[in-house]
C-alpha cells in the first residue's frame, strides 16, 4: 500500500486495536513506535516485537506527550503516520450520567480528547517542519454516531474526535497532511469483554443494546486494516472522512 519504510507512531499501542495496528505496519516493513501507559501491558506485548520502539506516556500530561513525540522523531528519522488509538474504553468508559464525577470526566476527556489533540498537534508540527506531509488517523467509535447507555461522556469524546478529524483535515491539507477517523463497532478486545456484564451490574436497562447484522464481533485485525488503508497512498485523496467499520451495527 505504498507505506513500506515510513515512521509510524501509534498511541495505545500495547493492547487491543492499537497492538493490532502496530503489527499491521510492522508486517509491511515500517518502523513503528508504540506509546503505552501500563508497564504490564507493554511487557506482555513486547514478546517477539523487540524491534518496536516502546514509549511510555500518560496522555493527560503534556510534557510526556512532547517527550514521546520528540523521541519517536529522533529514533524513526521521521513520522509519516500517527494513529491515535489510546482511549478510555470498554468497562473503564462506563458510568451512568447522573453518577459521573468530575474526576471521571477529567480522565475521559483528558485521555480521549485532550490527549488526542495534543499528540496530533505535536506530530503535525513535526510533519510540517519536515515538509513531507503525512497521515493522521483517529480511532473513534460508533458511539460517536449513536447513543450508548451509561456511556454519555465516552460518546461525547468520540463524537468530538470525529469533529476534530474533519477540522484538522481542513487546516492541515495545505501541508499535505491527511486526517481521517475510523469508527469501530463491537470489537473483540480484552477491554470490551466485560462490557455487557458491566452494564448489567451498573443498572443499565439493556433495552438499547444493538446486535451486529454480520452475526459476530469484529476482529482487531480488521480495524487495523481499515486504519492502514486510510494511512496508505491508496487513500491519497481521502481526508476528513470517518470510516465506519461495524459489521452493520448502525444500519438499523
Amino acid at each position: 500500500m505504498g507505506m513500506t519504510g515510513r515512521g509510524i507512531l501509534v498511541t495505545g499501542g500495547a493492547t487491543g486495536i492499537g497492538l493490532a495496528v502496530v503489527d499491521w505496519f510492522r508486517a509491511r516493513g515500517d518502523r513503528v513506535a508504540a506509546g503505552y501507559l501500563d508497564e504490564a501491558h507493554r511487557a506482555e506485548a513486547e514478546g517477539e516485537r523487540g524491534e518496536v520502539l516502546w514509549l511510555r506516556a500518560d496522555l493527560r500530561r503534556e510534557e510526556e506527550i512532547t517527550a514521546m513525540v520528540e523521541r519517536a522523531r529522533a529514533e524513526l528519522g521521521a513520522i509519516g503516520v500517527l494513529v491515535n488509538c489510546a482511549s478510555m474504553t470498554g468497562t473503564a468508559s462506563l458510568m451512568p450520567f447522573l453518577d459521573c464525577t468530575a474526576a471521571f470526566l477529567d480522565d475521559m476527556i483528558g485521555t480521549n480528547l485532550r490527549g488526542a489533540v495534543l499528540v496530533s498537534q505535536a506530530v503535525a508540527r513535526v510533519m510540517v517542519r519536515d515538509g513531507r506531509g503525512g497521515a493522521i488517523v483517529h480511532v473513534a467509535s460508533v458511539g460517536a454516531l449513536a447513543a450508548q447507555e451509561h456511556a454519555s461522556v465516552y460518546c461525547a469524546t468520540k463524537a468530538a474526535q470525529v469533529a476534530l478529524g474533519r477540522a484538522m483535515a481542513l487546516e492541515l491539507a495545505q501541508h499535505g497532511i491527511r486526517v481521517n477517523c475510523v469508527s469501530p463497532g463491537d470489537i473483540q478486545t480484552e477491554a470490551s469483554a466485560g462490557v455487557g456484564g458491566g452494564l448489567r451490574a451498573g443498572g443499565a436497562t439493556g433495552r438499547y443494546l444493538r446486535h451486529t447484522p454480520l452475526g459476530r464481533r469484529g476482529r482487531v485485525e480488521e480495524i487495523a486494516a481499515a486504519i492502514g488503508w486510510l494511512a496508505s497512498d491508496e487513500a491519497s485523496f481521502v481526508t476528513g472522512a470517518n470510516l465506519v467499520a461495524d459489521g452493520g451495527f448502525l444500519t438499523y
Side-chain angles (χ1 to χ4, degrees):
M1 288 193 181
M3 296 293 297
T4 301
R6 298 184 73 178
I8 316 294
L9 175 59
V10 183
T11 68
T15 59
I17 293 172
L19 184 56
V21 171
V22 167
D23 287 341
W24 193 95
F25 284 110
R26 281 178 59 249
R28 285 151 183 81
D30 295 308
R31 305 183 308 279
V32 182
Y36 71 95
L37 181 59
D38 186 274
E39 288 291 349
H41 289 155
R42 191 274 310 160
E44 183 177 355
E46 187 168 11
E48 299 178 357
R49 301 180 181 91
E51 72 278 18
V52 174
L53 176 63
W54 298 97
L55 300 173
R56 189 186 185 282
D58 185 339
L59 301 192
R60 294 167 297 183
R61 300 182 181 276
E62 187 172 6
E63 67 276 11
E64 294 191 23
I65 289 173
T66 300
M68 174 182 70
V69 173
E70 287 180 351
R71 187 171 172 211
R73 168 63 178 82
E75 295 286 340
L76 299 178
I79 301 175
V81 175
L82 166 66
V83 181
N84 277 313
C85 203
S87 183
M88 280 183 65
T89 189
T91 55
S93 69
L94 299 177
M95 186 171 289
F97 177 73
L98 293 178
D99 296 336
C100 284
T101 64
F104 178 83
L105 187 65
D106 288 346
D107 283 344
M108 183 74 74
I109 293 176
T111 302
N112 293 13
L113 181 57
R114 184 175 181 272
V117 170
L118 293 177
V119 174
S120 297
Q121 189 179 52
V123 171
R125 285 171 176 162
V126 168
M127 290 176 173
V128 171
R129 187 178 71 229
D130 289 347
R132 302 179 184 179
I136 297 174
V137 182
H138 302 310
V139 180
S141 166
V142 289
L145 305 170
Q148 296 177 6
E149 206 170 10
H150 288 195
S152 54
V153 178
Y154 173 79
C155 290
T157 61
K158 292 303 177 178
Q161 282 184 342
V162 173
L164 173 67
R166 285 196 298 265
M168 285 174 56
L170 184 65
E171 290 197 41
L172 296 178
Q174 64 182 310
H175 301 292
I177 300 171
R178 298 184 300 104
V179 186
N180 292 288
C181 296
V182 171
S183 285
D186 183 20
I187 309 301
Q188 182 64 54
T189 66
E190 182 179 349
S192 67
V195 168
L199 283 169
R200 287 189 292 272
T205 67
R207 292 196 299 269
Y208 309 108
L209 294 176
R210 293 173 183 258
H211 299 281
T212 302
L214 285 183
R216 63 174 176 83
R217 306 186 77 185
R219 300 188 299 273
V220 291
E221 295 82 6
E222 293 172 309
I223 305 305
I227 293 166
W229 179 77
L230 283 173
S232 76
D233 292 343
E234 291 188 358
S236 57
F237 200 57
V238 180
T239 195
N242 178 34
L243 174 58
V244 177
D246 69 348
F249 191 81
L250 296 181
T251 55
Y252 68 99

